[in-house]
Amino acid sequence: MPATPESDPAAPDGMPDDPFVGDPFLAPRPDPVSEVTAGGDGVGDPSDPPSTPLSSPALIAALAAGDSAAVAFALRNEVVIVPLLPTDGAPQVRVFRAPDAELFTLLVFSTAENYAAMLPQDPDLRVLGYDRSLLTEFLELHLDSLETMWFDPAGPFPMQADPTAILKALKL
């Protein structure tokens, strides 16, 4: 049974209170769209707005409506936010897993701010903007290691999906 958060009762089931990162997954390419800190552009003050706005209005609307077809449309047509490990060198996608789970969870966000809301105590949140081709490539490389995907898991409208179904939708 997946762990549930003790400190955040509003978080979706399966997201542990203290999620840990297992083996990091390398991003498919060194700088796919834009690497920024959540809430900044990775340079100077993290409160500065990002130089490239990282958000997906279509994903925001799809999640608010609870419309899985509209989520698939957003993934195919807009850039979505994928968290990174705060490391030097090649970008590594940050994945999560419950303490008792064997496989990982990929988190995808409609905005960098929604990622920051999930981990407000983390001082070094980094993200990448992933378009359709990069998300497809990542899923193809790591599908066997992923159990599930969560979109905006800290809200305001979280949604869970099967990575295989998302990959199929991306290939339409």
Side-chain angles (χ1 to χ4, degrees):
M1 173 178 266
T4 57
E6 299 293 328
S7 63
D8 185 5
D13 289 341
M15 295 307 303
D17 180 39
D18 185 20
F20 66 93
V21 177
D23 297 325
F25 295 167
L26 290 178
R29 298 185 203 144
D31 188 18
V33 175
S34 176
E35 179 179 348
V36 300
T37 57
D41 63 4
V43 179
D45 184 356
S47 65
D48 289 342
S51 55
T52 305
L54 289 178
S55 69
S56 172
L59 183 57
I60 293 167
L63 293 173
D67 186 339
S68 58
V71 168
F73 179 84
L75 295 175
R76 287 192 300 266
N77 294 289
E78 291 189 352
V79 171
V80 295
I81 312 308
V82 177
L84 294 179
L85 288 172
T87 60
D88 294 329
Q92 297 179 28
V93 173
R94 185 175 189 180
V95 294
F96 297 80
R97 96 177 146 188
D100 59 343
E102 290 183 32
L103 299 176
F104 295 92
T105 298
L106 175 63
L107 305 181
V108 176
F109 296 88
S110 59
T111 69
E113 290 78 17
N114 286 353
Y115 177 41
M118 187 185 98
L119 298 170
Q121 303 302 320
D122 195 330
D124 191 10
L125 297 175
R126 299 179 188 186
V127 298
L128 281 177
Y130 263 35
D131 62 12
R132 177 185 195 162
S133 65
L134 291 172
L135 188 55
T136 299
E137 186 176 347
F138 182 85
L139 289 174
E140 287 174 339
L141 287 170
H142 302 293
L143 193 60
D144 292 340
S145 300
L146 295 172
E147 178 176 21
T148 191
M149 290 176 67
W150 276 99
F151 298 93
D152 285 350
F157 305 103
M159 184 181 283
Q160 186 177 16
D162 174 56
T164 302
I166 295 296
L167 182 59
K168 287 179 185 175
L170 288 168
K171 290 182 171 186
L172 290 178

